[in-house]
């Protein structure tokens, strides 16, 4: 499972969200073409992804929704859950904390870090703000394995280095500045401007 394509992991996460909504409505089984319709992709893609995780449905009923939710959970989640830190308790950092907490049981934001003394020793939606100088100490103490970078772009490379030295395993960089990390760290960079320009390009050309 370690070698599942990154895009498959993304889609599995999206399938699970869609499946949870279907389950909440009392639906027990679903066909690949139904998932495909919700996700705006092809049924072949859905079947390929689900086959990659070793699951098959039946011709007559399709996939068992709860089994598929559980299986995707086994693949994506860890049993005990993972702790997450937000570095940069500004507008975006606070929005991330607000949005995320209470949403997923297996990922919890447990600490925020900032260099501004006014932002530390305060609680943001249940999450404590610490001074950035305490990064390594708190990451160890709170068993934090994932960090979200929401500092101004210029500070992102320095923060990424600090996180790597502190033993972080995965980074989601929300700043427009790409960062470099060793190959054993999983890095996801989300540049909102690139995403918006991608949409603009398709709007222009269609
Ligand atoms: P912000 O100025 O509100 O927050 C930045 C925070 O980082 C501040 O609290 C600041 O004190 C802290 N900080 C600065 N240098 C630091 C350092 N060296 N160590 C620790 N903390 C430090 O900015 P924002 O609007 O929250 O944006 C944060 C980042 O996210 C930027 O890179 C921005 O481009 C990106 N971004 C923001 C949005 C948004 O909607 N606000 C959207 C997409 C991307």
């Amino acid at each position: 499972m370690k070698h599942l394509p990154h895009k498959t992991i993304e889609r599995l996460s999206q399938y699970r969200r869609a499946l949870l909504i279907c389950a909440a409505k009392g639906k027990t089984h679903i066909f690949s073409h139904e998932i495909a319709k919700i996700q705006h992709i092809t049924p072949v893609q859905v079947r390929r992804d689900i086959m990659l995780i070793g699951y098959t449905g039946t011709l007559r009923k399709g996939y068992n929704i709860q089994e598929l939710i559980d299986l995707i959970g086994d693949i994506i989640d860890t049993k005990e859950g993972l702790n997450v830190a937000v570095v940069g308790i500004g507008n975006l950092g606070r929005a991330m904390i607000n949005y995320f907490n209470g949403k997923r049981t297996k990922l919890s934001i447990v600490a925020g870090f900032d260099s501004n003394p006014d932002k530390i020793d305060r609680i943001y939606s249940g999450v404590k703000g610490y001074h950035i100088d305490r990064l390594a100490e708190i990451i160890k103490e709170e068993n934090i394995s994932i960090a979200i970078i929401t500092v101004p772009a210029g500070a992102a490379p320095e923060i990424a280095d600090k996180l790597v030295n502190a033993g972080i395993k995965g980074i989601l960089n929300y700043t427009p500045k790409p960062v470099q990390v060793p190959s054993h760290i999983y890095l996801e960079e989300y540049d909102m401007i690139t995403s918006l320009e991608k949409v603009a390009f398709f709007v222009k050309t269609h």
Side-chain angles (χ1 to χ4, degrees):
M1 290 303 165
K2 225 179 161 178
H3 302 294
L4 282 176
H6 292 185
K7 286 283 169 199
T8 298
I9 300 287
E10 274 179 26
R11 284 191 296 268
L12 288 173
S13 162
Q14 290 159 0
Y15 298 162
R16 176 166 63 173
R17 262 177 287 165
L19 292 168
L20 283 167
I21 292 170
C22 294
K25 287 180 185 160
K27 197 168 159 71
T28 59
H29 289 77
I30 193 163
F31 289 104
S32 56
H33 66 83
E34 293 175 281
I35 301 177
K37 198 169 168 207
I38 299 169
Q39 298 301 134
H40 304 291
I41 54 176
T42 66
V44 173
Q45 182 70 72
V46 174
R47 285 197 289 275
R48 202 178 289 151
D49 287 335
I50 293 175
M51 242 164 57
L52 277 177
I53 61 170
Y55 191 68
T56 43
T58 63
L59 262 182
R60 206 167 54 82
K61 284 178 139 181
Y63 303 113
N64 178 306
I65 291 181
Q66 195 53 53
E67 281 179 11
L68 195 47
I69 291 172
D70 292 344
L71 183 60
I72 294 175
D74 289 345
I75 288 160
I76 295 182
D77 301 332
T78 55
K79 266 206 177 65
E80 57 292 342
L82 291 175
N83 288 342
V84 180
V86 167
V87 186
I89 319 172
N91 291 314
L92 184 60
R94 288 198 305 271
M96 298 286 295
I97 293 171
N98 270 332
Y99 175 74
F100 233 80
N101 269 4
K103 272 240 158 59
R104 303 213 77 87
T105 51
K106 297 290 180 186
L107 290 176
S108 334
I109 298 182
V110 296
F113 295 93
D114 208 286
S115 56
N116 180 344
D118 295 341
K119 303 262 172 95
I120 65 169
D121 289 333
R122 290 176 56 178
I123 306 291
Y124 303 89
S125 307
V127 174
K128 188 167 175 189
Y130 297 93
H131 194 275
I132 188 71
D133 288 351
R134 297 187 65 194
L135 189 79
E137 169 202 340
I138 303 296
I139 281 183
K140 204 162 167 224
E141 211 171 278
E142 295 282 343
N143 192 24
I144 295 168
S145 48
I146 300 174
I148 306 173
I149 304 182
T150 51
V151 293
E158 166 210 331
I159 294 297
D161 289 348
K162 282 188 176 160
L163 287 166
V164 170
N165 291 333
I168 211 81
K169 298 197 176 101
I171 295 177
L172 173 57
N173 176 21
Y174 251 99
T175 81
K177 174 104 183 163
V179 299
Q180 304 251 315
V181 293
S183 58
H184 66 277
I185 312 278
Y186 185 78
L187 171 70
E188 182 81 26
E189 307 208 78
Y190 180 70
D191 181 0
M192 206 176 270
I193 297 171
T194 303
S195 301
L196 191 56
E197 285 186 347
K198 204 160 100 192
V199 175
F201 170 79
F202 283 102
V203 167
K204 187 178 108 181
T205 52
H206 280 73

